[in-house]
Structures are given as C-alpha cells and as structure tokens.
Amino acid sequence: MIKSKVLVVGGTGYIGKRIVKASLAAGHTTYVLQRPEIGLDIDKLHMLLSFKEQGARLVEASFSDHRSLVEAVKEVDVVICTMSGVHFRSHNILLQLKLVEAIKEAGNIKRFLPSEFGMDPALMGDAIEPGRVTFDEKMEVRKAIEEAHIPYTYISANCFSGYFVGNLSQLGTLVPPKDKVCLYGDGNVKVVYMDEDDVATYTIKSIDDPRTMNKTVYLRPPENIMTQRELIAKWENLKGTQLEKISISEQDFLSSMKEMDYAGQVGVGHFYHIFYEGCLTNFEIGQNAEEASALYPEVCYTRMDEYLKRFLN
C-alpha cells in the first residue's frame, strides 16, 4: 500500500514534534506547516530546520491567509493538527475552523485528525466550568468536520505521562514528591496513562487504516490502565521508600479552584473528571470506535514503571 503524504500543523509543539518524528520513521512523506507568525521564536525555527534535515518538507502558510492554507493542504493526503488546547500554554482549538474550511475547499484530503489527544469531548457534555470550554470547542470543530463530510479520525490519548506520571499525578509539579503525596479521594479510580511517543506511534498507524475511518480511536493499552494508588506503588517499589498519603475529598478539591487563576481552574476541573469521576474508563468502547493497542498489537508501548525509572537518581 502506498503511504499517505502527511501534513502536520503545529509540528513544533509538545505532541506535534513527536507526530513529525513518528511520521518520518514510518516512511511517510511528511510536511510541516511553517507559519510566518513564528516571528523571532528561534527555538521553533531551529526545530523546523531540524525536521528538514531529517527529511521533512516545510510548507509555508498562515491561518490569516486562506489561499495559502488551501495550497498547503493540496500537497498531501492526510492532515494532522496538533495545535495546543491547554490554557497554561496557548489555547487555539477554534483556529482549526479555518483549517477545516481549507480542507473543504481543497477537496483532496483522505483523512483529517484534529487536535484532540485527550479526553473524548463527546463524553464530556456534563463537564464543569470553566474547564468544559475545551470540550465544547472540540465538539464545535467536530461538527464543522462532519458537516463538511471530511473523512476523520479522532484520537483520545488520555493522560500524557509527562504531565501525569513523573509527578504521580500531582498538580503544580512535573517531578515526584519526596515525602508526601496527595490522593484524589481514595486514589482507586482507574486512569489511563500514555507515553507521548506511543501516542504519536499509534496516531500515525491509524491514518491509512480503513478500520479507523470516521471513528474515535482510544489509546487504552491494558497495562497502562491503573489507579493513582497503583502508580504511586510503582514509584515506591522503584525508590524503595514509602510516601505519606494525604487524601483530598471531592468537595475540598473543587473548593481549591476559588484561589486559582483561570488556567488553574481549568486544570482542576479536568483533574476532577479524571480522578474522581473516572471519565477515562467509566464507559465501554462503542461501535463507532476502536482501541489502539488491540488494532496494533505489534507496538511495544511504554509501561509506567519503565517510564518512572528515568526519575531515579
């Protein structure tokens, strides 16, 4: 089978740079959008140039220039958008509507993967404010995609290890606590943790797969489904120490939002749905969806005890 040509939008971002790497590794002709808005961000420029050295092709286009977007899209078969949807970085989800219009006009795209990669927004209709804005906006983009009859795949990648594993799922830090660890409730709600490189690998595998056409692909490798307590135990076993565990009630956790800025409130809301409601695992995968590790058993995904080893002294 001829491999699709891929355009990555947001290729210098946290997930985007991994998607570019995985696409190149899988042998896809890979384009990366280079936006003039990069300005004087030399780190992004150097990353783009490094992609070029690795074999990627840079294509210039701007979200403020519809024609340039259409021409960029016409170069490829698949578009993967990885623009940020988190408030502590930048929040650009609705900017994708301009990309949807370009894809619609170009008329050649075999698959579009919008910027999702977290919780499934279709299941978050009862999410609390202000964090629900993330899900509402993603659903607005989905609506535009489906009304334009653009073939799609939605990737639900759950909890990125970089933000949820090394810190044992603690807010406000990225490294393991030394003495005490906060538990959300009793810490026994099942969560799904994913290494970001594995997210990219599974994503690229899905783009030419007819089984994932117009479906949601959940990344739920069985050995990475665990409770917060089980994650902490893995760290304690590796470290050979025990942490003091402090349980935070649901009410106290939600009350903590009052003292936070907007981005912090969004984060607390998302943590609440994950660790108290169990929104990543409290449903069965339905007819219009697939599970990635079942589709691609050949992928040797990173287990969380292996991931945690990098934090040992």
Side-chain angles (χ1 to χ4, degrees):
M1 183 176 66
I2 299 174
K3 290 181 179 289
S4 290
K5 293 182 288 184
V6 178
L7 171 64
V8 182
V9 180
T12 60
Y14 185 68
I15 289 298
K17 62 188 177 185
R18 293 171 167 86
I19 298 284
V20 173
K21 180 181 176 182
S23 181
L24 289 169
H28 292 276
T29 301
T30 305
Y31 293 74
V32 183
L33 196 73
Q34 180 176 345
R35 298 163 60 195
E37 291 85 355
I38 193 173
L40 298 178
D41 193 331
I42 196 166
D43 291 331
K44 286 188 176 181
L45 176 62
H46 284 173
M47 192 180 301
L48 288 168
L49 294 175
S50 74
F51 291 154
K52 189 175 179 181
E53 290 174 355
Q54 295 166 49
R57 305 179 187 185
L58 304 183
V59 55
E60 291 190 31
S62 171
F63 280 89
S64 61
D65 181 353
H66 174 72
R67 180 51 45 193
S68 70
L69 277 181
V70 173
E71 293 305 314
V73 166
K74 284 183 177 179
E75 297 283 344
V76 300
D77 308 300
V78 172
V79 177
I80 304 174
C81 187
T82 60
M83 298 179 71
S84 176
V86 292
H87 287 79
F88 62 86
R89 284 175 173 263
S90 57
H91 186 80
N92 297 314
I93 291 173
L94 290 183
L95 204 55
Q96 293 179 99
L97 293 174
K98 294 185 177 182
L99 187 57
V100 172
E101 285 300 312
I103 292 171
K104 181 180 178 180
E105 181 173 331
N108 63 302
I109 292 303
K110 299 176 182 177
R111 198 80 64 94
F112 177 39
L113 283 68
S115 187
E116 298 232 347
F117 303 103
M119 295 173 253
D120 182 357
L123 302 177
M124 301 304 296
D126 295 325
I128 61 175
E129 297 285 2
R132 67 170 296 123
V133 64
T134 303
F135 314 119
D136 290 342
E137 291 184 356
K138 287 182 177 181
M139 290 305 294
E140 187 174 342
V141 173
R142 284 191 181 192
K143 183 173 183 287
I145 293 168
E146 293 170 26
E147 287 182 349
H149 303 292
I150 297 169
Y152 63 84
T153 297
Y154 303 139
I155 302 292
S156 177
N158 300 302
C159 291
F160 294 159
S161 296
Y163 288 104
F164 287 89
V165 175
N167 57 3
L168 307 183
S169 301
Q170 306 297 285
L171 280 164
T173 183
L174 297 175
V175 296
K178 290 181 168 49
D179 305 306
K180 301 176 182 178
V181 62
C182 292
L183 290 175
Y184 304 112
D186 60 12
N188 288 323
V189 171
K190 292 286 186 181
V191 180
V192 186
Y193 297 105
M194 286 297 305
D195 179 273
E196 292 85 342
D197 290 336
D198 294 337
V199 171
T201 298
Y202 283 123
T203 298
I204 292 299
K205 281 188 170 291
S206 76
I207 62 176
D208 282 330
D209 189 342
R211 296 173 296 178
T212 63
M213 174 75 78
N214 295 339
K215 289 185 178 180
T216 298
V217 176
Y218 295 98
L219 276 52
R220 274 197 196 179
E223 292 189 40
N224 285 3
I225 302 172
M226 68 189 74
T227 67
Q228 186 195 10
R229 277 190 182 273
E230 289 170 333
L231 178 68
I232 293 167
K234 288 181 182 293
W235 173 247
E236 290 175 330
N237 289 337
L238 286 170
K239 191 74 171 171
T241 58
Q242 291 289 310
L243 296 171
E244 180 186 350
K245 295 159 186 76
I246 302 169
S247 177
I248 305 175
S249 71
E250 182 176 328
Q251 182 177 357
D252 287 345
F253 186 72
L254 290 175
S255 294
S256 70
M257 294 172 62
K258 298 174 185 176
E259 309 300 323
M260 297 182 176
D261 61 14
Y262 184 81
Q265 291 178 16
V266 169
V268 165
H270 291 180
F271 267 62
Y272 169 75
H273 295 303
I274 293 167
F275 292 102
Y276 289 91
E277 292 187 340
C279 70
L280 304 182
T281 58
N282 64 1
F283 62 94
E284 297 295 325
I285 295 175
Q287 288 184 332
N288 294 319
E290 301 286 348
E291 196 286 306
S293 66
L295 289 178
Y296 314 114
E298 69 276 11
V299 175
C300 184
Y301 62 87
T302 303
R303 276 65 171 175
M304 291 304 103
D305 48 356
E306 286 299 316
Y307 187 91
L308 283 166
K309 285 180 181 178
R310 67 190 67 183
F311 292 94
L312 292 172
N313 295 330

